[in-house]
Amino acid sequence: MDTYSDPEKLRELASAQTLAIWAVLAGILGNVIWSLMIVTVPFMLYAVYRLARGLDKSAGSAAFFMIAMLIPIVGIICLLVLNSSATTRLRDGMLTVGLFGVPKAELAKLGAKTE
């Protein structure tokens, strides 16, 4: 099934994008207060992994982004690039994307989550 019409894939991508937005903010804070980097770097790596998985990136591409995350400022730029791709894909799936990702009301339109 196409990624743009699969509600579960769109829900996963929306969740990963929200996580990545918080990771960008954490990364900015970590670059200002260096002692926080011990917490923000693992969080940013996890966010990149989730976002790359949600965007169906290859393992090599995901690894590249994760390695780039270890370089201050470059990691934030990588997160912003991935976030831009996620926004485009979510909008192609007819979802509204706000400042902090897809609103919960918009996600409810996708239907109940199946587990």
Side-chain angles (χ1 to χ4, degrees):
M1 183 178 276
D2 184 22
T3 304
Y4 305 128
S5 60
D6 183 7
E8 190 57 39
K9 287 293 284 183
L10 287 172
R11 191 177 294 107
E12 179 184 333
L13 182 57
S15 171
Q17 184 193 38
T18 301
L19 190 66
I21 291 168
W22 284 109
V24 168
L25 295 174
I28 292 169
L29 185 62
N31 281 310
V32 173
I33 305 169
W34 279 86
S35 61
L36 291 178
M37 289 300 274
I38 197 162
V39 176
T40 59
V41 169
F43 177 60
M44 290 169 64
L45 288 170
Y46 177 70
V48 165
Y49 167 76
R50 287 273 315 271
L51 198 52
R53 193 177 84 196
L55 288 168
D56 296 325
K57 297 285 186 190
S58 68
S61 176
F64 168 78
F65 281 112
M66 289 180 78
I67 291 169
M69 293 301 298
L70 300 175
I71 304 169
I73 307 299
V74 174
I76 295 171
I77 293 169
C78 288
L79 271 170
L80 292 173
V81 167
L82 287 171
N83 185 47
S84 175
S85 297
T87 299
T88 301
R89 183 145 326 158
L90 289 167
R91 286 186 177 152
D92 288 345
M94 303 301 182
L95 293 172
T96 303
V97 181
L99 182 62
F100 283 97
V102 179
K104 289 183 182 186
E106 191 77 17
L107 285 175
K109 293 179 184 178
L110 293 175
K113 185 175 181 178
T114 57
E115 295 193 34

